[in-house]
Amino acid sequence: MYIYIKRVIDFFCSFLGSIVLSPILIILALAIKIETPGPVFFKQKRVGIHKSYFKILKFRTMRIDTPKDCPTHLLSNPDQYITKVGKFLRKTSLDELPQIFNIIAGQMTIIGPRPALWNQDDLIAERDKYHANDVKPGLTGWAQINGRDELPIEVKAALDGEYAKNIGFLFDCKCFFGTIVSVLKHDGVVEGGTGELSKEKVLCNEKELVEK
């Protein structure tokens, strides 16, 4: 029953949020457009509920010649690609704001496991063990307030599974308010982190285009 209530809450909160935040969205969009050529939004293929695919929306924080579908920390020199506005957006997590439109469309929820990149096979497989791929991905979640980018994939997947198993209104509230605290403190934020920070660094092919 809560899943249906959750969808109603997601829609109305996101719809209201898009109206209230519209001045900020417009200002950020103009700042991005003025600084560098290219689109305001960045679209990326992500894994949705039941391992379906959708295009996640973010504010573009990197130049358009950045390698594609590669986490930022695997780039040979990520700072050369991140714009000045982009650094601010990433530090404040404001680059994630356009995902309210993914939530309105029903592709995401406010609280849930962060959607994996389509090519993060290890994270997707690990989440399968806990049925974490069977819930809708979220703007923020249980893993995000328990380590975020610093977490190894096995730990992140286990936390996502814990959320999937115990999903409920009170748990969502705990994640929501915990996220506010984490964002204000910048807890667990590693540039481009994907939970694979303990693995050997392999640089990406810089002929393709990307974003975090």
Side-chain angles (χ1 to χ4, degrees), residues 91 148 178-189:
K91 184 176 180 180
R148 198 171 173 176
T179 297
I180 294 175
V181 174
S182 294
V183 169
L184 292 176
K185 295 171 63 178
H186 303 297
D187 284 347
V189 179

Side-chain angles (χ1 to χ4, degrees), residues 2 29-30 53 108-109 113 130 145 167 169 175 179 191 199:
Y2 175 65
L30 288 174
Y53 295 124
M108 291 178 60
T109 180
Y130 304 99
I145 64 174
I167 188 170
F169 179 72
C175 292
T179 297
E191 192 61 75
K199 292 187 176 182

Side-chain angles (χ1 to χ4, degrees), residues 149-168:
D149 298 334
E150 295 177 344
L151 296 173
I153 281 177
E154 295 78 9
V155 176
K156 180 181 290 187
L159 287 168
D160 290 335
E162 185 178 347
Y163 174 80
K165 182 179 179 180
N166 300 290
I167 188 170

